[in-house]
Amino acid sequence: MQLEYHPKDEFKYCPFCGQQDSFIFDGKKKFKCSQCARTFYMNAASAVGAIIETPKGILFVRRKFEPKKDMLDLPGGFVDLNENAEEAILRELKEEINFLESGKLDFFITNPNDYVFNNLLYITLDIFFHTYIENTNDLIASDDALSIEYIKPSDINIDEIGFISAKTVIKIFLDKKNIDKS
Ligand SMILES: [Zn+2]
């Protein structure tokens, strides 16, 4: 977990009683107000991503916006409230790359991530799926994807990938394929 922009440095007042400088983080997962004693647990937000293999290589998107603007990412995004991860990944892939093939994604792995938005750190648990598709003709970058790039596994530069979770997941994926990126 990164400490920059952590909510403990951004939350100046207790949201329950309004007291200043009383809402104290325990260093792990919980805020407690020293004035009114109420507590608030920090939980990881759910997010989804996909490794999409194609004959041209693995599909990456280049990010259009901060955080990690202009860096490579796997397509995906946050899970909405009351949405399941399977629905979320299909919605995000449709929005981001016009991926319309429902029902073809297999669960792959999960990994934690740090996501700083508007100077506030959101800690996520990213849920990754995997699929292979032959036909990429209908895929187009939209929403927060600037472009789609297909990269052969042996040509992937881990340093060009923005987020720690996607870096880790791609390394694990390449390990399974016996492609050394260490
Ligand atoms: Zn309070």
Side-chain angles (χ1 to χ4, degrees):
M1 186 202 316
Q2 77 172 54
L3 290 176
E4 205 179 4
Y5 305 121
H6 191 283
K8 71 181 173 57
D9 301 316
E10 305 293 322
F11 293 175
K12 311 289 188 210
Y13 299 87
C14 171
F16 302 109
C17 71
Q19 177 72 32
Q20 191 169 357
D21 297 329
S22 67
F23 206 50
I24 310 298
F25 189 58
D26 71 355
K28 285 192 250 176
K29 58 187 175 186
K30 180 172 79 175
F31 285 87
K32 184 167 186 182
C33 178
S34 59
Q35 185 75 17
C36 70
R38 291 190 68 179
T39 56
F40 178 77
Y41 284 87
M42 267 187 75
N43 296 308
S46 304
V48 288
I51 297 177
I52 301 175
E53 283 189 280
T54 80
K56 296 184 277 187
I58 294 174
L59 184 154
F60 287 89
V61 291
R62 205 165 277 281
R63 292 183 57 81
K64 194 191 279 185
F65 305 114
E66 296 291 355
K68 309 292 182 188
K69 183 174 180 288
D70 293 325
M71 296 195 77
L72 291 179
D73 196 10
L74 293 170
F78 282 90
V79 178
D80 284 341
L81 298 178
N82 298 317
E83 184 180 45
N84 70 37
E86 294 86 344
E87 291 165 343
I89 190 61
L90 291 174
R91 175 183 53 72
E92 286 287 343
L93 292 179
K94 183 169 182 232
E95 288 169 7
E96 220 165 76
I97 60 172
N98 194 41
F99 180 97
L100 301 172
E101 301 185 54
S102 62
K104 286 194 67 175
L105 293 152
D106 296 317
F107 170 73
F108 181 55
I109 204 168
T110 69
N111 214 56
N113 195 40
D114 290 344
Y115 189 98
V116 174
F117 182 70
N118 276 351
N119 293 347
L120 187 61
L121 170 65
Y122 296 84
I123 296 162
T124 69
L125 180 64
D126 294 355
I127 302 159
F128 288 93
F129 295 85
H130 167 264
T131 192
Y132 176 86
I133 56 169
E134 283 283 341
N135 184 350
T136 59
N137 292 342
D138 295 333
L139 302 186
I140 41 169
S142 57
D143 201 35
D144 50 2
L146 185 67
S147 60
I148 293 173
E149 298 181 26
Y150 300 94
I151 308 178
K152 298 278 188 203
S154 56
D155 294 337
I156 292 170
N157 179 357
I158 296 291
D159 294 336
E160 283 189 60
I161 300 171
F163 291 111
I164 186 69
S165 66
K167 282 179 199 272
T168 304
V169 117
I170 285 291
K171 276 191 214 164
I172 291 168
F173 185 76
L174 296 178
D175 272 353
K176 283 180 188 281
K177 288 186 166 290
N178 288 319
I179 295 168
D180 186 18
K181 288 282 169 185
S182 54

